[in-house]
Amino acid sequence: MSLPSPHQTEQPSGSALGLAESAQLFKACGDEIRLQVLRLLQQDTFGVLELSALLGIKQSAMSHHLKVLSTAGLVESQREGNTIFYRRPLLVPSDAGVEESVLGRVFDLVDELSISDEVRHNLIQIRTQRAEQSQAFFARHADDMQLLQERVAEYGLYAEPVLRLIDQLRDTDWQHAIEVGPGEGHFLVELAQRFEQVTAVDNSAAMLEKARQHCEQAAAAAIDFRHLDTTEAKASGLEADLIVMNMVLHHVASPQCVIEDCSAMLKPGGCLIVCDLNHHDQRWTRDACGDLWLGFEAAELRKWAEASGLEVGECLYIGVRNGFQVQVHEFRRPALAGTNRLSMQNHNSAPYTVVSSS
């Protein structure tokens, strides 16, 4: 083994962080509170007040911890209305550089940490508060929800492209479809024409009743209406070949958890269709439409899906006249080994399509 000359200086490697960056990163990780924050941000985004409540510390102290984590590149902020939420940076494996690779290894280690029972209890409370906020809005506005929704994106502009995607993907032996958050039930009628069994899942009793009435008036085939959230639906043993969420995620308390729940309910080879808003800055939708989130980045949705064991499929972008853009994603649960799904053979269209209503 040859040893380097004492006069020879070691050149910095292109696959490692510099000393200053490394020191900053390890210093940020050298605190129990900051490690707990990173662990909590694995599945959700939180504001400083929520994180303070979760970990039982003062807001000023939490703000300091978040500043340290942000400086080290371990968290990033995103404004939602008047609130700033914090999340872990989106790491895309295909184009990850040195810093992203190191962060990915740090997050892998952090995710092995356990969450205490007390923090889990606080987490349930915060998510319950978010859900109750959304449910209260829908209870107040069940009769005029369609008009409110059309201020953002008219139903027909996204329903037709989503139906075309479903028709393209649908396998001949698919029998059961679930729609999460069916609104007034218009899309349920379309699903009932394509599937032997259709289930509507909604945590708003008022909206579920509106959907039931519409489906009865449309003489739709038998539809099972379940007053459940997705976690309860998963626990009940529901399984489906197709799950659809049209303009739902920006209303739910924890979008990533909902995607995880849906993934667990998909049969092998089944598809999850997510139709929602691209991230925007039109804050009036929070009060006017009950939105908890101002849309999502496409990379964010793909990351959540992949973390839930789903494969990324087709993606459509739909331009609407009032300044919003709608994105439609197909995520697939891997088929069992040895099966030959028709839907895997039908992916002939371009993976990224822009549909404009103008």
Side-chain angles (χ1 to χ4, degrees):
M1 181 177 68
S2 61
L3 297 176
S5 164
H7 303 291
Q8 183 179 358
T9 58
E10 184 178 352
Q11 296 299 317
S13 169
S15 60
L17 291 179
L19 285 175
E21 293 89 346
S22 298
Q24 191 174 58
L25 178 66
F26 293 132
K27 180 180 178 181
C29 293
D31 181 273
E32 291 185 14
I33 292 293
R34 293 198 281 272
L35 288 175
Q36 289 184 79
V37 169
L38 292 177
R39 177 66 178 87
L40 288 168
L41 293 179
Q42 178 198 19
Q43 292 184 325
D44 216 332
T45 59
F46 296 101
V48 62
L49 290 177
E50 291 178 328
L51 287 168
S52 300
L54 279 168
L55 299 179
I57 68 173
K58 293 182 178 180
Q59 179 183 348
S60 57
M62 180 55 69
S63 295
H64 168 72
H65 287 302
L66 289 169
K67 182 178 180 180
V68 173
L69 290 170
S70 178
T71 301
L74 288 163
V75 302
E76 58 187 21
S77 61
Q78 177 174 307
R79 180 173 291 277
E80 299 281 347
N82 295 323
T83 304
I84 295 177
F85 284 86
Y86 292 87
R87 68 181 185 187
R88 297 191 336 196
L90 297 175
L91 305 180
V92 182
S94 60
D95 59 2
V98 174
E99 184 177 1
E100 289 78 9
S101 177
V102 172
L103 290 181
R105 294 199 293 270
V106 169
F107 292 149
D108 287 342
L109 291 172
V110 168
D111 293 343
E112 294 180 6
L113 300 175
S114 61
I115 299 176
S116 69
D117 291 341
E118 180 181 359
V119 173
R120 286 186 185 278
H121 174 74
N122 294 340
L123 185 59
I124 291 173
Q125 284 189 320
I126 285 178
R127 287 177 175 167
T128 299
Q129 291 170 359
R130 288 181 181 178
E132 288 175 348
Q133 176 184 342
S134 180
Q135 290 171 25
F137 180 88
F138 284 110
R140 293 194 305 269
H141 297 282
D143 291 335
D144 55 359
M145 196 60 212
Q146 184 174 353
L147 292 176
L148 292 174
Q149 184 63 58
E150 288 184 353
R151 295 179 62 184
V152 176
E154 195 173 332
Y155 169 78
L157 292 178
Y158 60 81
E160 291 183 12
V162 171
L163 284 170
R164 286 199 300 269
L165 181 60
I166 290 173
D167 290 339
Q168 172 191 329
L169 299 172
R170 185 159 55 103
D171 202 340
T172 54
D173 62 357
W174 282 7
Q175 297 179 335
H176 186 196
I178 294 174
E179 184 174 12
V180 176
E184 296 195 350
H186 298 282
F187 205 82
L188 288 172
V189 176
E190 298 289 347
L191 291 175
Q193 297 172 4
R194 292 165 168 81
F195 291 85
E196 294 182 14
Q197 182 183 1
V198 176
T199 302
V201 172
D202 203 315
N203 67 352
S204 169
M207 292 305 301
L208 201 63
E209 181 57 30
K210 289 285 291 184
R212 187 197 309 273
Q213 292 175 8
H214 176 79
C215 291
E216 289 178 354
Q217 293 171 1
I223 298 173
D224 185 15
F225 293 86
R226 303 281 190 98
H227 181 208
L228 304 168
D229 61 28
T230 54
T231 301
E232 294 166 334
K234 177 183 67 175
S236 73
L238 270 179
E239 286 187 325
D241 303 293
L242 173 74
I243 300 178
V244 182
M245 289 191 289
N246 283 323
M247 307 298 283
V248 170
L249 273 187
H250 60 270
H251 290 295
V252 304
S254 180
Q256 182 174 357
C257 290
V258 170
I259 289 179
E260 287 184 353
D261 292 340
C262 290
S263 174
M265 289 189 285
L266 276 178
K267 296 179 181 179
C271 287
L272 168 65
I273 305 295
V274 176
C275 172
D276 217 290
L277 296 171
N278 278 31
H279 190 263
H280 61 86
D281 59 0
Q282 301 199 43
R283 303 176 191 175
W284 60 266
T285 58
R286 280 183 165 270
D287 295 326
C289 303
D291 294 6
L292 294 180
W293 309 102
L294 302 181
F296 305 96
E297 300 290 348
E300 196 170 24
L301 296 177
R302 291 194 291 267
K303 179 186 176 184
W304 293 341
E306 290 175 334
S308 301
L310 301 176
E311 298 173 344
V312 175
E314 302 288 351
C315 180
L316 312 174
Y317 291 98
I318 306 167
V320 293
R321 287 184 293 267
N322 53 7
F324 293 95
Q325 188 178 49
V326 174
Q327 54 187 321
V328 182
H329 294 268
E330 172 224 347
F331 302 118
R332 296 189 301 273
R333 189 167 186 80
L336 295 175
T339 59
N340 184 17
R341 306 293 291 183
L342 179 63
S343 61
M344 302 303 172
Q345 302 170 358
N346 281 345
H347 288 178
N348 298 320
S349 62
Y352 294 95
T353 306
V354 178
V355 181
S356 176
S357 64
S358 57

